[in-house]
Amino acid sequence: MTAERFPEFPEPADLSEDELRALLERAVPQLPAPAQRLERVKEKAARRRRRRVAGVSATAVVAVAAAGLVLPGLRDGGTTGSPAPPAVSRLAPPASGSSTASGAATDRREPTPTATGPMTGPATGPPAAATAVVRHHYPELSGLDLMLPADWGTLTAPKTGAVFTSSQDLGLPTDGCVTPLDGFCTPLARTLEPGGVLIMMTLQHNKLMADKFRSSARPATPSEVVGACRTVGGTAQTTAAITDTAATDVIVQVSVCLARPAKGQQEQLDDALTNAAFS
């Protein structure tokens, strides 16, 4: 086996100073100049600083965007939370049908809202606003006269002969109030607002019952709130039987549905029914 031969290097003692320097330079890699190293260090530091600044900026943008989503009130100049949405009136179809195109509506003016009372029970709110009261004449009800607010409208259901008056817009349902819920038709264009009133009146002829009601001088009395009244927002209900002082057989049955009546409103309606007259 032949022994492996290694390259021979001259002995350091046999080399001149220049030859020794060249041998060392070939054996040991030359390091970059100090100036180059400093430049590279500066470049690395600058790159790290730029990356750090970019990361902080991105985080700030995300935080601001999140704050805008979570706290829209701050974005719009508010202090806390989001601004309250504008109030929107909740509309409802006529309580006894779906159409308001038919019927003999003599007045459909929008009422002026009155002061509100509690949700249920007797009225405890501020006094009712002063409203002009005029004589309302109902020839379909044997010439009944009621003193009611001037801006109230009237509607007649030809199929049943029922007459309605209300502080809000009226609209006869498609069935003409022939099949009212709980015997009380509610031909309203929308639900009753606080202080709203709907009155249903029907004419009957019964001498015996008319004499009985006349002798008792029965005033308007509170009654149970039926489902039809509750459906249109009613919280109180009153009934009355109006008779003619001329001892006729005429009886006008009255049912009044009220929504959160104001102080004094119930009494004003009771007085109007109690002091009704025929002409």
Side-chain angles (χ1 to χ4, degrees):
M1 182 176 180
T2 305
E4 184 178 358
R5 295 179 63 85
F6 293 93
E8 294 182 358
F9 293 95
E11 292 293 333
D14 298 336
L15 299 175
S16 64
E17 183 178 350
D18 293 336
E19 291 172 338
L20 182 58
R21 184 182 300 110
L23 178 62
L24 291 176
E25 288 178 356
R26 287 196 303 269
V28 180
Q30 187 176 8
L31 295 176
Q36 294 175 341
R37 289 201 306 273
L38 291 176
E39 191 66 27
R40 291 181 181 178
V41 170
K42 290 180 181 179
E43 290 178 359
K44 289 182 180 180
R47 284 196 299 270
R48 276 198 297 269
R49 189 163 51 252
R50 284 194 295 270
R51 286 197 296 267
R52 195 160 49 242
V53 172
V56 172
S57 300
T59 303
V61 170
V62 172
V64 171
L69 291 174
V70 176
L71 301 175
L74 297 178
R75 180 189 60 219
D76 298 332
T79 53
T80 57
S82 58
V88 178
S89 298
R90 180 173 62 87
L91 301 182
S96 302
S98 58
S99 172
T100 60
S102 60
T106 59
D107 192 352
R108 294 196 180 186
R109 286 171 289 180
E110 184 69 15
T112 301
T114 59
T116 61
M119 289 297 294
T120 57
T124 57
T131 306
V133 176
V134 299
R135 183 177 69 91
H136 287 248
H137 183 64
Y138 304 96
E140 306 91 336
L141 302 174
S142 292
L144 176 68
D145 292 328
L146 292 176
M147 299 300 293
L148 296 172
D151 57 356
W152 283 24
T154 300
L155 181 146
T156 301
K159 293 183 179 179
T160 64
V163 178
F164 303 89
T165 185
S166 176
S167 59
Q168 297 186 187
D169 288 347
L170 293 163
L172 198 65
T174 54
D175 70 346
C177 286
V178 174
T179 56
L181 176 66
D182 299 324
F184 182 52
C185 184
T186 54
L188 290 167
R190 53 188 168 79
T191 56
L192 290 172
E193 297 175 351
V197 181
L198 172 64
I199 301 178
M200 174 181 172
M201 297 175 285
T202 57
L203 177 65
Q204 299 178 8
H205 293 277
N206 188 312
K207 186 68 166 64
L208 182 62
M209 294 301 297
D211 291 340
K212 181 178 180 180
F213 285 129
R214 244 188 315 269
S215 62
S216 64
R218 179 189 176 199
T221 57
S223 63
E224 181 183 358
V225 182
V226 299
C229 179
R230 288 196 302 269
T231 299
V232 294
T235 59
Q237 192 165 352
T238 298
T239 58
I242 302 174
T243 57
D244 189 356
T245 56
T248 64
D249 63 350
V250 172
I251 305 172
V252 177
Q253 294 286 353
V254 182
S255 184
V256 183
C257 179
L258 305 96
R260 298 171 61 185
K263 279 185 177 179
Q265 188 178 16
Q266 180 80 63
E267 289 76 10
Q268 292 173 1
L269 289 172
D270 291 349
D271 289 343
L273 297 177
T274 302
N275 297 315
F278 293 86
S279 60

